[in-house]
Amino acid sequence: MQKVEEIAETEVFDQSLYMPGISVDCVIFGYQERELKILVSKFKNTNLYALPGGFIKKNEDADEAALRVLSERTGLKNIFLNQFYTFGEKSRANPEPMKLVMQANEVLFDDTHWMLQRFISIGYYALINYTRAEPKPDYFSESCSWYELDELPEMMQDHNIIVKKALESLRRNIDRKFIGTNLLQDQFTMGDIQKLHETILGEKLNRTAFHRKMLNSGLLKRVGKKKTGGSHRAPYLYVFHSDDE
Amino acid sequence: MQKVEEIAETEVFDQSLYMPGISVDCVIFGYQERELKILVSKFKNTNLYALPGGFIKKNEDADEAALRVLSERTGLKNIFLNQFYTFGEKSRANPEPMKLVMQANEVLFDDTHWMLQRFISIGYYALINYTRAEPKPDYFSESCSWYELDELPEMMQDHNIIVKKALESLRRNIDRKFIGTNLLQDQFTMGDIQKLHETILGEKLNRTAFHRKMLNSGLLKRVGKKKTGGSHRAPYLYVFHSDDE
């Protein structure tokens, strides 16, 4: 039962510190070279998987709570974050998975415990280059690892639905600058950005039409040619226009 | 002090019925013929204005709570609703306006009253033809009326920011079918839809480019000519393609 004290020390369980009934869940998209992955935690001593998430401190913005979770799970600061949807269905209120987690980890609780009540959860997605993150499990988790989108485990509650909704939002926003600036190098070729779009959309795009669309979008600025040893076929390099141009 | 009992009857104040710390706020856009308006409530016996809003019952989805508020304020059922952003900043927690409302209406309270705590609010926007609504004030309000976008009163808390963010979301979504289907007649001319877009965007659009874009969008289906008494210049009528076409 030493664990109960340990938790008390981490303040995970002190309800007086947190907003009641509301949580944040983070869909952390990691991209590199045609691979789009998501960070998933596995609870200790159970077979339960979940998105990285947490509660909102009483003196903390919801966005700050999400950034805290992200930074704790990835080791990264200044991550790009987008709030995409709030999950407020009453059907989310199923205390059983959390009871299992508490039981499996020798945490004392009764049925009125605040963490077993109904929660409304604010969904955020983050965009990072997954090679830069160093995933760290939280107190209750034995692992926190990258999963391919089509190989996600079945997660607790509505977490698979949360991922689906995050992906829809990401796809709807695909033409917005923040996606490229967070997932590409500072300078990139048209091929790089096409690969990124194809990976997020999960489909092949016509090269000519895509290039025309991107060039007409006004988002990109040509900055030179990629150094490939002198070939005149070296592709152009681009950056995103900065906001003040 | 009769009011306290009245409120108890309406259950407005029974915290055991509601999710703590979370509310819904509704930006109700009303459109007709180049006019875009928003429904705003004025609290009784004060100079305070607010968006129509409310709390989420423990046995109610967040969406259901928003629909309940909408239906109570407009008299309309089956309103189109879009959740657009959740306002989770700690700086929202300012109990003073609500204290004024309670004082002005002889409601007993002390500083720990749950309605004076920090709230996180889920923002919804609704789209209706404003000539169909019959605005009804809620218990605390003396009026609930339509305001032109550029003549909104200063509202309590961050409600003017909520409107700004709703409008941004509406503008970003302007090419999506649900906006037209909720704000236009079943059949409409290209001029009708251009007027709608211009009003929402707050700018004039080039007629030829707009028509070309709409015709290329695949959203519209031509269904005949408007009966104007036989002129060959009568404009075409359109409907939106149904989802299964």
Side-chain angles (χ1 to χ4, degrees):
Chain A
M1 284 293 168
Q2 151 263 4
K3 302 214 168 167
V4 180
E5 289 81 57
E6 235 177 78
I7 292 171
E9 265 173 40
T10 65
E11 293 176 345
V12 167
F13 268 8
D14 183 353
Q15 171 164 24
S16 71
L17 296 176
Y18 295 95
M19 296 287 290
I22 187 144
S23 57
V24 295
D25 282 306
C26 299
V27 180
I28 308 178
F29 288 109
Y31 174 80
Q32 210 205 22
E33 281 288 315
R34 290 195 182 275
E35 286 198 309
L36 188 63
K37 304 183 180 202
I38 286 173
L39 205 54
V40 176
S41 290
K42 180 166 194 275
F43 285 110
K44 277 181 201 159
N45 309 317
T46 71
N47 231 342
L48 290 170
Y49 295 82
L51 292 172
F55 306 115
I56 301 169
K57 291 181 185 169
K58 285 193 172 163
N59 62 358
E60 185 180 55
D61 295 342
D63 288 4
E64 287 172 346
L67 281 171
R68 176 170 51 77
V69 167
L70 275 171
S71 153
E72 285 169 6
R73 293 289 77 70
T74 64
L76 299 174
K77 304 271 179 203
N78 302 320
I79 289 182
F80 174 80
L81 199 63
N82 195 36
Q83 189 209 100
F84 67 95
Y85 194 75
T86 293
F87 297 83
E89 298 77 18
K90 59 179 180 286
S91 59
R92 304 187 78 245
N94 169 14
E96 297 310 321
M98 206 58 212
K99 273 191 195 173
L100 277 179
V101 171
M102 290 161 113
Q103 264 160 2
N105 293 284
E106 298 172 29
V107 175
L108 301 170
F109 68 94
D110 66 35
D111 284 350
T112 64
H113 193 285
W114 70 287
M115 284 176 62
L116 301 176
Q117 306 305 304
R118 173 180 172 191
F119 273 83
I120 287 177
S121 194
I122 309 178
Y124 287 87
Y125 69 77
L127 301 175
I128 62 174
N129 178 324
Y130 68 76
T131 62
R132 288 188 198 149
E134 294 180 20
K136 289 187 197 79
D138 65 12
Y139 182 82
F140 277 125
S141 306
E142 66 182 39
S143 68
C144 186
S145 345
W146 293 107
Y147 285 80
E148 301 277 343
L149 264 181
D150 51 5
E151 289 170 6
L152 286 181
E154 194 174 323
M155 290 182 280
M156 61 189 268
Q157 291 182 311
D158 55 354
H159 288 198
N160 292 77
I161 294 171
I162 293 179
V163 170
K164 188 165 168 273
K165 197 115 182 165
L167 189 61
E168 284 169 10
S169 174
L170 182 64
R171 287 177 174 168
R172 228 176 15 247
N173 282 308
I174 196 160
D175 287 325
R176 296 174 73 192
K177 195 173 96 176
F178 65 72
I179 294 184
T181 48
N182 283 286
L183 294 179
L184 292 170
Q185 308 291 330
D186 291 344
Q187 302 196 348
F188 46 86
T189 66
M190 198 57 89
D192 292 334
I193 194 164
Q194 182 171 351
K195 268 187 229 169
L196 172 67
H197 280 232
E198 288 180 339
T199 307
I200 290 175
L201 296 173
E203 60 183 62
K204 281 273 173 200
L205 300 169
N206 175 280
R207 188 173 174 279
T208 311
F210 181 79
H211 284 211
R212 190 189 311 121
K213 188 180 107 175
M214 289 309 299
L215 291 174
N216 288 341
S217 72
L219 287 173
L220 302 184
K221 185 170 148 185
R222 200 178 264 184
V223 290
K225 285 207 170 199
K226 196 168 177 176
K227 290 197 182 106
T228 55
S231 156
H232 68 288
R233 300 291 304 267
Y236 283 106
L237 284 168
Y238 296 87
V239 298
F240 286 102
H241 273 293
S242 59
D243 285 329
D244 50 0
E245 282 178 280
Chain B
M1 284 295 167
Q2 151 260 6
K3 301 213 173 173
V4 178
E5 289 81 58
E6 235 177 79
I7 292 171
E9 266 172 41
T10 64
E11 293 178 345
V12 167
F13 268 7
D14 183 354
Q15 170 163 26
S16 71
L17 295 176
Y18 295 95
M19 295 288 290
I22 187 145
S23 58
V24 295
D25 281 306
C26 298
V27 180
I28 308 179
F29 288 109
Y31 174 80
Q32 209 204 23
E33 279 290 314
R34 290 195 182 273
E35 286 198 310
L36 188 64
K37 304 185 178 200
I38 286 173
L39 205 55
V40 176
S41 291
K42 180 167 194 275
F43 285 108
K44 276 181 202 159
N45 309 318
T46 71
N47 233 340
L48 291 170
Y49 295 82
L51 292 171
F55 305 115
I56 302 170
K57 291 183 184 166
K58 285 193 172 163
N59 62 357
E60 185 180 54
D61 295 342
D63 289 4
E64 287 172 346
L67 282 170
R68 176 169 51 76
V69 168
L70 276 171
S71 156
E72 285 168 7
R73 294 289 77 69
T74 63
L76 299 174
K77 305 270 179 204
N78 302 321
I79 290 182
F80 174 82
L81 199 64
N82 194 35
Q83 189 208 101
F84 67 95
Y85 193 74
T86 293
F87 297 84
E89 298 76 19
K90 60 178 180 287
S91 59
R92 304 186 79 245
N94 170 14
E96 296 312 320
M98 205 58 215
K99 275 189 194 173
L100 277 179
V101 171
M102 289 159 113
Q103 264 160 4
N105 293 286
E106 299 171 30
V107 175
L108 301 170
F109 67 94
D110 67 34
D111 285 351
T112 63
H113 193 286
W114 70 285
M115 284 177 61
L116 301 175
Q117 305 306 303
R118 173 181 172 191
F119 273 84
I120 286 176
S121 194
I122 309 179
Y124 287 87
Y125 69 76
L127 301 175
I128 63 175
N129 178 323
Y130 67 77
T131 62
R132 290 190 197 148
E134 296 180 18
K136 290 186 197 78
D138 65 11
Y139 183 82
F140 277 124
S141 306
E142 65 182 38
S143 68
C144 185
S145 343
W146 293 108
Y147 285 80
E148 301 276 345
L149 264 182
D150 51 5
E151 289 170 5
L152 285 182
E154 195 173 322
M155 291 182 280
M156 62 190 267
Q157 291 184 313
D158 55 353
H159 287 198
N160 292 75
I161 295 172
I162 292 179
V163 171
K164 189 165 166 272
K165 197 116 181 165
L167 189 61
E168 284 169 8
S169 174
L170 183 64
R171 287 176 174 168
R172 233 183 3 253
N173 283 308
I174 196 160
D175 288 324
R176 296 174 73 190
K177 195 173 99 177
F178 64 73
I179 295 184
T181 48
N182 284 286
L183 295 179
L184 293 170
Q185 307 291 331
D186 291 343
Q187 301 195 349
F188 47 85
T189 66
M190 199 57 89
D192 294 332
I193 195 166
Q194 182 171 351
K195 269 188 229 168
L196 172 67
H197 280 231
E198 288 180 339
T199 307
I200 290 175
L201 296 172
E203 59 182 61
K204 281 271 174 203
L205 299 170
N206 175 280
R207 187 173 175 279
T208 312
F210 181 78
H211 285 214
R212 189 187 314 119
K213 188 180 106 172
M214 288 311 297
L215 291 173
N216 287 339
S217 72
L219 287 172
L220 303 183
K221 186 170 146 181
R222 199 178 266 182
V223 290
K225 284 206 170 203
K226 196 169 178 176
K227 291 198 181 105
T228 55
S231 157
H232 69 287
R233 298 292 304 265
Y236 283 106
L237 283 168
Y238 296 87
V239 296
F240 285 101
H241 273 292
S242 59
D243 284 329
D244 50 2
E245 283 179 279

